[in-house]
Every structure is written in structure tokens, then in C-alpha cells.
């Protein structure tokens, strides 16, 4: 299923590149390559711009938390917390975060409702690094800042 998302992106890129644009320009029209998790976590205006322009982002980070919002297979909605950080010297660290929204039956079973002795091969594990491509659909205000909510189109363990 994830391969079909990549295939759709590839077809879209090929269709766009048929025009006089360069392939890189076509890619940068749909995917904001400057929007890192750090940049988005520190600039609420950038989150709003990405949301308003419906541009895709590509992030990497570690899954810190996960929860099921709607556990029905047909209308499944789950949420992951993606974090990353950077050290400042040896005594301080900055943390960057976004929320990943998983919608649809293809994500059913990726977040277990309870612990099991046998792990489902589709399970998205916490404390594991992932690459995500998605669209910024919202921003979430919390005590520690404003964080993007990403509608996931592609998610892969790295």
C-alpha cells in the first residue's frame, strides 16, 4: 500500500516534468525541501504557510508515543508523536516534535490496542526512527509550543 503512494507521487512528478520545468522544480512545487522538523517546530508561521499552501513535508525522527483515536478498521484514525533533537554542547538539548495522523484502513493494526506476546509485523514501534512524507493539516498549541499535525501519506522505518 505504501508503494502505491510512492507510485502516485512518481506519476505526479512525471506528469509535471513533461512540461518545461526541470524535475527538481517539479518536486519542489509539491514537496517543501526546506521545511525540516526543527524549522517547523520553531516557526509557527511556517506551519501555517505549509498548511495554507497544501505542501508536502519530509521528516525523519523517532516515534515517542502512539494512540488510537478511532479503532474501527474502516474508519481507523491513529496518532503518532514524532520527535527529534539536537545537542547544544554537552549539557543542553533542544527537542522538536510533530504529530502524525494515520487515517484509513491501511493503518489498521499498526498501533496495537494492548500489548501482545506476538508483535504484528505491521506495528509501528516506539523508540524507532521513521521517515515520513505528509501534508500539514493543522497546528496544535501546547504549553511547550506550537507543533504541526501531519496527515501521513508515506511512513517507513529507517
Amino acid at each position: 500500500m505504501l508503494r502505491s503512494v510512492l507510485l502516485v507521487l512518481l506519476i505526479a512528478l512525471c506528469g509535471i516534468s513533461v512540461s518545461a520545468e526541470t524535475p527538481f522544480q517539479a518536486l519542489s512545487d509539491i514537496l517543501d525541501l526546506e521545511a525540516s522538523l526543527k524549522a517547523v517546530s520553531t516557526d509557527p508561521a511556517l506551519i501555517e504557510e505549509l498548511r495554507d499552501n497544501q505542501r508536502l513535508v519530509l521528516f525523519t525522527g523517532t516515534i515517542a508515543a502512539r494512540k488510537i483515536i478511532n479503532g474501527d478498521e474502516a474508519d481507523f484514525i491513529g496518532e503518532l508523536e514524532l520527535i527529534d533533537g539536537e545537542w547544544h554542547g554537552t549539557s543542553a538539548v533542544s527537542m522538536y516534535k510533530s504529530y502524525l495522523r494515520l487515517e484509513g484502513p491501511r493503518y489498521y493494526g499498526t498501533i496495537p490496542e494492548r500489548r501482545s506476546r506476538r508483535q504484528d509485523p505491521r506495528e509501528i514501534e516506539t523508540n524507532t526512527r521513521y521517515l515520513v512524507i505528509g501534508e500539514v493539516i493543522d497546528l496544535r498549541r501546547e504549553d511547550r509550543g506550537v507543533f504541526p499535525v501531519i496527515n501521513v501519506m508515506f511512513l517507513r522505518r529507517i
Side-chain angles (χ1 to χ4, degrees):
M1 195 52 94
L2 296 176
R3 291 180 185 193
S4 62
V5 171
L6 285 177
L7 180 63
V8 169
L9 280 174
L10 182 61
I11 291 171
L13 287 175
C14 290
I16 293 171
S17 67
V18 170
S19 66
E21 296 179 299
T22 65
F24 180 77
Q25 182 61 40
L27 178 62
S28 63
D29 285 346
I30 60 172
L31 179 67
D32 191 326
L33 297 170
E34 298 296 320
S36 65
L37 187 54
K38 175 183 176 180
V40 173
S41 294
T42 57
D43 186 1
L46 178 58
I47 300 172
E48 291 182 22
E49 179 186 327
L50 291 167
R51 182 191 62 193
D52 294 343
N53 294 332
Q54 298 178 329
R55 307 256 329 263
L56 300 179
V57 292
L58 184 143
F59 293 155
T60 60
T62 302
I63 303 298
R66 57 191 183 180
K67 71 178 178 178
I68 296 174
I69 296 171
N70 182 352
D72 296 334
E73 184 173 359
D75 299 320
F76 181 82
I77 299 175
E79 190 172 84
L80 306 170
E81 185 177 309
L82 184 77
I83 62 169
D84 205 7
E86 79 181 336
W87 283 95
H88 304 283
T90 58
S91 60
V93 68
S94 294
M95 186 187 79
Y96 312 114
K97 159 170 94 167
S98 73
Y99 293 97
L100 307 179
R101 176 67 58 102
L102 306 173
E103 294 183 358
R106 75 180 188 173
Y107 293 111
Y108 181 78
T110 59
I111 302 173
E113 292 189 36
R114 58 188 171 279
R115 287 184 70 130
S116 173
R117 291 180 185 218
R118 240 183 335 190
Q119 183 179 11
D120 188 325
R122 298 174 298 164
E123 182 178 337
I124 296 170
E125 299 178 55
T126 56
N127 302 318
T128 305
R129 294 203 43 91
Y130 279 84
L131 175 131
V132 61
I133 298 174
E135 179 182 355
V136 178
I137 57 170
D138 200 5
L139 42 103
R140 187 170 297 169
R141 297 184 191 284
E142 297 178 349
D143 294 339
R144 293 188 169 200
V146 179
F147 305 102
V149 178
I150 310 294
N151 186 29
V152 174
M153 300 175 129
F154 176 78
L155 183 68
R156 189 185 88 176
R157 183 178 179 167
I158 53 174

